[in-house]
Amino acid sequence: LLVLALYYIIKRKMGASVLWYLAALLCKVQALLFAPVMLAGAIRCCMYYVRDRKSADAEIKKQAGSQLWRFAASLGVSLAVFVLLSVLMQSGQPRITWLFEKYFATMSSYPYAALSTFNLMSLLGGQWAQLGTEVMGLGITYQTLHYILLFASIAAAVALMVMKFKNRCVYLWASFIVAAIVTLTGTMHERYLY
């Protein structure tokens, strides 16, 4: 599903990209790792649409307007379907926020810096170490280091995207951001690389 979402970014069809990304997000919370790539792709495609709307060629102008409206409509419909399906899948009292609560509970349910994951946290002695444990005399906890490296990984990926945005590089950015996050941060499983 993520491959299709990224493919449609390359083709500048953000409507289809949003649909596939939200489908992936409904299946697995780990699709959130790709959110910066999706956001950068959406911004870039909107910039293309706006640029093309200023074109002197009436056909290009018409196509750009049509693509922009399709993207906005697809985003709205996809979000509505996302919320509707998440409400339908829950048991008990209907609450729109239950899926977000589940996502955040899933992300915070792994209290170890590393657990049989051979990444930086493991190299720093984080195997089976609680997130609140101090990192080998550095004066910070594994959780603090985790957040610092998480934001650094995302910032590096965004910087690469901004410096050289080529549609054909979308798969490389997605690979980079996942590899950086899994390699450097805590609370990760190696299977996220696959």
Side-chain angles (χ1 to χ4, degrees):
L1 298 175
L2 286 168
V3 170
L4 286 171
L6 297 172
Y7 171 78
Y8 284 112
I9 285 176
I10 293 169
K11 294 296 183 184
R12 284 205 248 166
K13 296 183 186 275
M14 283 308 300
S17 180
V18 166
L19 175 73
W20 287 110
Y21 180 68
L22 289 178
L25 195 55
L26 275 173
C27 293
K28 283 296 262 181
V29 69
Q30 287 78 13
L32 285 173
L33 292 173
F34 296 91
V37 176
M38 297 301 296
L39 182 61
I43 291 169
R44 186 62 173 195
C45 282
C46 286
M47 288 170 58
Y48 283 136
Y49 299 154
V50 169
R51 183 199 65 198
D52 290 349
R53 293 260 314 159
K54 295 176 183 176
S55 172
D57 187 347
E59 185 61 31
I60 291 174
K61 189 183 273 192
K62 182 181 173 186
Q63 270 186 329
S66 173
Q67 285 285 356
L68 196 55
W69 282 112
R70 266 191 259 160
F71 168 57
S74 174
L75 183 61
V77 169
S78 296
L79 286 172
V81 169
F82 182 83
V83 169
L84 177 68
L85 287 176
S86 68
V87 168
L88 291 175
M89 288 182 196
Q90 76 171 355
S91 59
Q93 295 294 329
R95 285 188 342 268
I96 291 178
T97 60
W98 83 272
L99 187 61
F100 300 104
E101 292 166 5
K102 181 136 181 94
Y103 281 175
F104 290 114
T106 299
M107 290 187 290
S108 64
S109 67
Y110 188 63
Y112 302 104
L115 183 60
S116 298
T117 302
F118 300 103
N119 61 7
L120 180 63
M121 294 294 181
S122 180
L123 288 172
L124 294 174
Q127 283 290 351
W128 290 91
Q130 294 287 327
L131 285 172
T133 308
E134 188 176 306
V135 180
M136 297 177 65
L138 294 179
I140 60 173
T141 64
Y142 284 106
Q143 187 164 17
T144 303
L145 184 60
H146 162 76
Y147 285 123
I148 290 169
L149 293 173
L150 177 66
F151 292 123
S153 299
I154 292 170
V158 169
L160 286 173
M161 288 183 248
V162 169
M163 287 187 321
K164 199 97 172 161
F165 193 100
K166 301 268 189 220
N167 280 347
R168 66 180 180 264
C169 296
V170 169
Y171 291 114
L172 292 174
W173 294 327
S175 299
F176 173 82
I177 197 165
V178 170
I181 289 172
V182 171
T183 304
L184 299 175
T185 67
T187 70
M188 289 291 138
H189 293 284
E190 287 173 340
R191 67 177 179 261
Y192 296 165
L193 282 173
Y194 308 112

